[in-house]
Amino acid sequence: MQLVFFCPTLNSGMHNLRRQSVADEFVDLSFHGLKKEDFFMKIQKQINLHEVTDLNLRGNQFDSFLDCSTNLEKLRTLDLSQNHLQRFFFLCKEEYNLQVLNVSHNMLEYIDDNSINHRMPQLKILDLSYNKLTVVNETMLEHLTILEYLSLSHNPIGDGIHNGAFWNLKALQHLDLRNVSAPFFSADFFKTLTNLSSLDLSWNPISVIPLLPVKLQQLDLSGTQVISLENLYLPELRELKLDHLPNLTSLALNDLENLTCLETLSMIGCRRLIQLSLWPQNRAVLPRLQRLSVKESGLMTLGVELSALIQRVLLVEVENNPWKCDCKMEWINSLNSTRNLSRDIRCHTPDRLHGKLLAEVPSYELECEYDTPIFYPIMWTSVSVLIVALIFAAVFILLRRPTSQWSFRGKGRDTVTYTTVVESNNDLVRILAVTESHDRNDE
């Protein structure tokens, strides 16, 4: 069986397994309100479980499940989701053919060695999501050497994942760690997962992207605290989700230059994202990008430097941003008419254009602030301030001239000029005496 991309639920996975053979016997007892006693003591007597390959017990009231109470020799798919399971055991047969086990949406707090063990060497799909697990240690999953899909999402694990918890899962292709309350993910978690192609780390309070397997094709970092994507080296990545990042305010697409196979980039709902930029370089950034989604974010403008990228991307989604329709957005109206991007941009500001589609606004109405009449009063005010500043500067320079070079005019309009001299004390007394006698004569 080849797995491509599974959703978090196992419906599609189970369906794929079931249709391998039309002769497979499928028993659906979902949502019958059954307790374990009803099934083991009554129902199974009416069913030849020896021939059953797919057993659906979803949505019942099982608080535990013990394989010793039934015959599951040919069972390949077992769905125990949405019950009240606190434990389950596979103890009474040396080896099972079980390939798919779904125990999601239960009350499991711990998976012991008698739950998932060496008796299930064929298990390829395991869903443990929506339980109460707080730890994932080295022995919990160590026997699942051919497991391809694992979901631990929506468990309160926190920092309870041990470094070697996934080391034996070398065949793993899809790992779902969505919303497990992990504050960080060590690079050691993933170092042996050389076949991993899909990884979901979304809605965890991480701020740093860990070192990831280079063969990843899908990565979901939505709802995390990540603000920087620099040095992200995933040469085979095709889909990157950055939806609802609460702290992302700007993104230079050049930071993603190593994602040369990226086809889908999603940044939906990043309310603080106000700048999307691309500075020129020798080679094209994101050469295979086919879909760019920045819906419902905080963007007010798109720089003309993005025009080449937007022209070659097949699908660009920009709805529900607080767009500022001015001359900086005029280039969008001139894009190839088959793109219709301007028909998806609804103006938020200025007020006179609020609610209008950019495509409906004539170019002459797309004015920037420096094109409006208010620019001229601002310009003349600036010039006046500059002139006054120059006058004050000139006065200040004049006042800084040495005082010994100042001139004062006396009563008789005679001018007395003081120059710097060096005199002896006797000379100074003589000068003062002469000056006093001249003053008396004048009187």
Side-chain angles (χ1 to χ4, degrees):
M1 180 188 66
Q2 182 178 1
L3 303 179
V4 183
F5 296 115
F6 279 89
C7 296
T9 60
L10 292 179
N11 291 337
S12 59
M14 291 179 178
H15 178 70
N16 289 338
L17 287 175
R18 288 200 300 271
R19 68 180 182 178
Q20 286 183 344
S21 172
V22 295
D24 291 347
E25 186 168 349
F26 174 65
V27 174
D28 187 352
L29 295 172
S30 60
F31 299 100
H32 279 60
L34 299 176
K35 296 183 179 180
K36 62 181 179 182
E37 294 83 6
D38 298 327
F39 174 75
F40 291 122
M41 299 180 64
K42 299 176 183 178
I43 301 296
Q44 74 167 342
K45 293 180 181 180
Q46 305 170 17
I47 304 173
N48 185 10
L49 288 179
H50 177 73
E51 299 296 331
V52 172
T53 59
D54 299 80
L55 178 59
N56 187 354
L57 296 171
R58 175 193 294 248
N60 286 294
Q61 300 179 30
F62 286 62
D63 60 2
S64 64
F65 185 89
L66 178 60
D67 67 310
C68 300
S69 303
T70 188
N71 188 343
L72 304 174
E73 183 176 345
K74 293 186 178 181
L75 193 67
R76 293 187 315 198
T77 300
L78 177 60
D79 190 344
L80 289 166
S81 63
Q82 298 184 43
N83 278 273
H84 306 296
L85 288 182
Q86 299 180 34
R87 53 195 174 276
F88 63 94
F89 303 103
F90 289 88
L91 298 172
C92 296
K93 187 174 174 25
E94 186 58 31
E95 185 174 312
Y96 290 93
N97 292 318
L98 195 64
Q99 297 180 21
V100 178
L101 176 61
N102 185 354
V103 288
S104 65
H105 294 86
N106 277 289
M107 303 176 68
L108 300 169
E109 296 183 4
Y110 184 75
I111 307 295
D112 64 28
D113 296 340
N114 293 319
S115 298
I116 303 173
N117 50 47
H118 65 280
R119 294 176 174 84
M120 294 187 290
Q122 303 300 318
L123 197 64
K124 293 185 176 181
I125 300 176
L126 175 61
D127 193 342
L128 295 167
S129 62
Y130 291 92
N131 277 285
K132 298 183 177 181
L133 299 176
T134 57
V135 64
V136 182
N137 59 31
E138 290 84 351
T139 62
M140 187 179 294
L141 307 168
E142 63 177 338
H143 301 289
L144 306 181
T145 55
I146 68 168
L147 192 71
E148 297 178 359
Y149 174 93
L150 172 63
S151 177
L152 291 164
S153 70
H154 294 87
N155 279 280
I157 298 173
D159 57 359
I161 302 177
H162 293 196
N163 278 350
F166 306 134
W167 283 3
N168 286 350
L169 309 182
K170 296 180 180 180
L172 197 65
Q173 298 178 21
H174 311 279
L175 177 58
D176 187 354
L177 297 173
R178 177 185 180 92
N179 192 20
V180 295
S181 303
F184 68 93
F185 291 102
S186 168
D188 290 337
F189 292 170
F190 314 112
K191 71 177 184 180
T192 64
L193 305 183
T194 55
N195 290 306
L196 196 66
S197 63
S198 177
L199 177 61
D200 191 340
L201 302 179
S202 62
W203 299 101
N204 286 288
I206 63 171
S207 57
V208 177
I209 303 174
L211 186 64
L212 300 173
V214 294
K215 288 189 176 182
L216 272 185
Q217 296 183 17
Q218 290 180 313
L219 176 61
D220 194 342
L221 297 171
S222 302
T224 62
Q225 306 294 315
V226 169
I227 59 174
S228 175
L229 297 163
E230 290 184 277
N231 303 319
L232 188 62
Y233 181 72
L234 296 171
E236 297 184 22
L237 194 69
R238 296 188 176 185
E239 180 178 351
L240 176 60
K241 289 186 177 181
L242 304 171
D243 302 336
H244 304 286
L245 296 187
N247 297 327
L248 184 66
T249 58
S250 64
L251 176 62
L253 294 177
N254 305 82
D255 291 344
L256 307 178
E257 62 182 348
N258 293 322
L259 308 183
T260 53
C261 288
L262 195 67
E263 298 174 355
T264 299
L265 175 59
S266 177
M267 293 178 285
I268 299 173
C270 297
R271 294 295 186 182
R272 298 184 64 188
L273 178 64
I274 60 174
Q275 183 178 16
L276 189 65
S277 60
L278 178 64
W279 43 268
Q281 62 175 31
N282 294 331
R283 60 190 181 93
V285 175
L286 304 176
R288 297 190 182 181
L289 193 65
Q290 298 180 17
R291 179 187 177 191
L292 173 63
S293 182
V294 288
K295 296 188 296 185
E296 301 170 10
S297 294
L299 294 174
M300 292 187 290
T301 190
L302 290 174
V304 69
E305 73 274 9
L306 296 169
S307 59
L309 176 70
I310 290 178
Q311 281 278 53
R312 58 181 168 82
V313 176
L314 294 177
L315 178 62
V316 180
E317 299 174 315
V318 296
E319 302 85 28
N320 299 324
N321 280 271
W323 297 112
K324 182 179 181 180
C325 295
D326 60 11
C327 65
K328 297 177 183 177
M329 299 281 280
E330 186 176 356
W331 67 271
I332 296 176
N333 280 332
S334 63
L335 287 176
N336 191 322
S337 59
T338 59
R339 298 307 311 278
N340 296 328
L341 183 61
S342 60
R343 299 179 185 176
D344 297 327
I345 294 178
R346 191 173 294 278
C347 303
H348 185 72
T349 57
D351 291 341
R352 58 189 172 80
L353 300 179
H354 181 78
K356 289 187 177 182
L357 293 177
L358 181 61
E360 300 172 349
V361 180
S363 296
Y364 64 83
E365 289 192 28
L366 295 176
E367 299 176 338
C368 286
E369 291 184 358
Y370 55 78
D371 291 328
T372 60
I374 195 174
F375 171 72
Y376 298 104
I378 293 175
M379 181 186 69
W380 288 116
T381 302
S382 301
V383 171
S384 301
V385 170
L386 180 61
I387 293 173
V388 172
L390 290 174
I391 293 173
F392 274 107
V395 171
F396 178 73
I397 292 173
L398 291 174
L399 291 176
R400 291 187 61 185
R401 294 179 61 188
T403 57
S404 58
Q405 297 181 5
W406 293 356
S407 298
F408 299 94
R409 190 172 299 276
K411 292 181 180 179
R413 294 185 176 269
D414 295 328
T415 299
V416 180
T417 301
Y418 295 92
T419 58
T420 303
V421 295
V422 177
E423 300 285 354
S424 66
N425 291 337
N426 294 332
D427 293 335
L428 180 60
V429 171
R430 187 169 56 253
I431 291 171
L432 292 175
V434 171
T435 302
E436 290 178 357
S437 62
H438 279 291
D439 291 339
R440 290 192 191 98
N441 293 331
D442 290 338
E443 291 175 358

